Amino acid sequence: MTRYRRYITLIMAAALMGSCDLVTPDEIVNPNVDEKAFLRSDNPMETWVNGTEKELALHLSDFVEMMEILSDNYFNNFTRSSKVFDIPQLLYTDADVTNLQRHVGALREMADYGLTKVAEADPHATNAQRFKLLYIKAYSFILAGDFFRALPTENGGEAVEWNGQMQRAMEVLDEALPLAQDDNDRALIHTLYARAAHRIGFRDVAVTHARQALSLSGDLCRQVQFDSKNGVFNTAQEAIWTDWFQPLPRLDFLDPKYFQLSSSDQRPITIAKAEESYLILAEAAVATNDLANAKAQLTTLLRLVSNRPVQTDINDQLEGRYNGGLKAFPNDPVYRVQASPNDTLRSGLIIDRRPPCLINVAYISGTSVTQDMIDGLRDHDSALELVYLMRQEIFFAEGRRPADLGIRLPLCEVEAANQKDPTAYTEAWIPSFIPQNYGLDDFTVDEAAKTVTIKYNMNRVIVDNAHSASVAPFEDKR
């Protein structure tokens, strides 16, 4: 575990610095920080779990930042953060690809270390603590399965393809379920299980777990927390709240999901919510041509989304939608937006941020879909497109979209060098239907007509390519 040793050492150091018997009378911290001292300290499991949860938050914020650029949700309109993920250009030598891969490995290794070394050394270790480490370990496999072509499942091991990562996630979730402390914990496990099963196309399994999750909690929302006082910052918030990232104009009404009401405010990131289960049930119904059931699931989902909290009176006036960036974005609600040149123009997707206007933002889930749109569904393709529109809007700014688009990162250079075949998986998987040269974020503005036209409606592109292996996992594959 030498590759992830620094994470272990950092958490040990934090534990030792907080232990009274390791401070000399003149309050100088004993510098002899080692594994044995940590494992002999008071309640090391509590410290380890807290540290692992902190790392989950920090790593997830990095994933959200990078995956939102990679998708058609946001364009990096500034000089900071990646300037190539928007293209998309995903090289196995890219430092961001390497860092994201290390995040996955670090979470897995930290969870394993806590479940073995720390738990064995701490007689006060609890099942609640083990539960947290197990779901974090499972989540590391889900991240690997969603976003990478292949990764090792153990330090120094051979790379396992993405579907194997999801299988491993489900195995760990099976271990976690008996240790769940309440119905919300159980709903979390079933929701994550349904997510993993959905991605690899196990429709019946995903449906079973989605139903179980909803029977336990109809409004589940599990989030990772940040703490500015202790240096745990949501890096995605900085990019989204400031003027770095600009949303595709038809998603303008959802931005910023992470806002600041005070200088120290750090917004949480959602890792599991009940909306996922309804979306899976609806997509499964569409795949079996049960349009009535799909409409019923989407109607219930819409009711849940409408009851999610909304932050009112946010001052986003400094946003400007340009501010010297690379491209000007519309900032006037008079503009109507169409998702492609062949789509209908829609109003209400762009909101007014100009002084003296204050804005309202749904910060758990939001959607532009209406009941009339659901009621008006008449066939398989329109229903599947609406499901993926709702997935895009509901998971907006949560780093989920590239997986729905079928984009996968390569195995990084360092890890590839340790493989039997060092060339395996070093090319990113970018489906042929993904637009290149910044096409995912492309749009035109007609100032005279006050209209905005998105170049590609990627939800329709998903439907048009639903029989490929890259997207729409419940659809029949040819």
Side-chain angles (χ1 to χ4, degrees), residues 142-272:
I142 289 174
L143 291 174
D146 263 346
F147 302 119
F148 290 89
R149 289 192 61 186
L151 287 181
T153 57
E154 59 183 10
N155 189 30
E158 284 294 306
V160 175
E161 292 190 354
W162 65 271
N163 48 358
Q165 301 284 341
M166 287 305 193
Q167 294 270 18
R168 188 72 185 94
M170 292 188 287
E171 293 170 5
V172 178
L173 291 169
D174 280 333
E175 294 180 55
L177 187 58
L179 304 182
Q181 301 297 294
D182 54 33
D183 281 350
N184 276 330
D185 279 352
R186 284 181 275 274
L188 167 67
I189 298 303
H190 286 299
T191 302
L192 293 177
Y193 207 114
R195 173 177 170 178
H198 167 262
R199 185 60 60 205
I200 53 180
F202 290 1
R203 187 175 67 212
D204 292 345
V205 175
V207 165
T208 296
H209 284 275
R211 287 174 175 162
Q212 288 177 317
L214 291 172
S215 72
L216 293 163
S217 174
D219 60 355
L220 172 73
C221 183
R222 185 64 63 96
Q223 298 177 309
V224 295
Q225 303 293 326
F226 299 86
D227 180 4
S228 61
K229 292 182 179 179
N230 291 295
V232 187
F233 294 102
N234 181 350
T235 57
Q237 175 174 306
E238 182 180 9
I240 289 170
W241 172 240
T242 61
D243 58 358
W244 299 8
F245 292 4
Q246 299 294 351
L248 201 65
R250 67 178 180 80
L251 302 170
D252 179 273
F253 70 100
L254 295 168
D255 178 77
K257 201 166 201 172
Y258 312 118
F259 46 82
Q260 281 190 286
L261 302 179
S262 68
S263 60
S264 61
D265 192 15
Q266 293 291 303
R267 307 300 302 174
I269 294 177
T270 301
I271 62 170

Side-chain angles (χ1 to χ4, degrees), residues 295 298-299 302 346 367-378 382 386 390:
K295 287 183 179 182
L298 293 175
T299 295
L302 187 62
R346 299 183 65 191
T367 184
S368 67
V369 171
T370 65
Q371 188 63 54
D372 286 345
M373 293 169 68
I374 295 173
D375 293 341
L377 295 174
R378 294 291 179 264
S382 63
L386 192 71
M390 293 189 79

Side-chain angles (χ1 to χ4, degrees), residues 39-61:
L39 295 176
R40 290 196 302 266
S41 65
D42 293 337
N43 301 312
M45 189 66 161
E46 179 181 359
T47 300
W48 191 261
V49 171
N50 290 340
T52 306
E53 288 183 308
K54 170 187 172 182
E55 293 301 321
L56 172 63
L58 291 172
H59 295 339
L60 186 57
S61 69

Side-chain angles (χ1 to χ4, degrees), residues 129-145:
Q129 292 167 337
R130 292 183 179 91
F131 172 82
K132 288 182 179 180
L133 292 178
L134 281 168
Y135 94 71
I136 290 172
K137 181 179 179 179
Y139 200 78
S140 76
F141 288 122
I142 289 174
L143 291 174

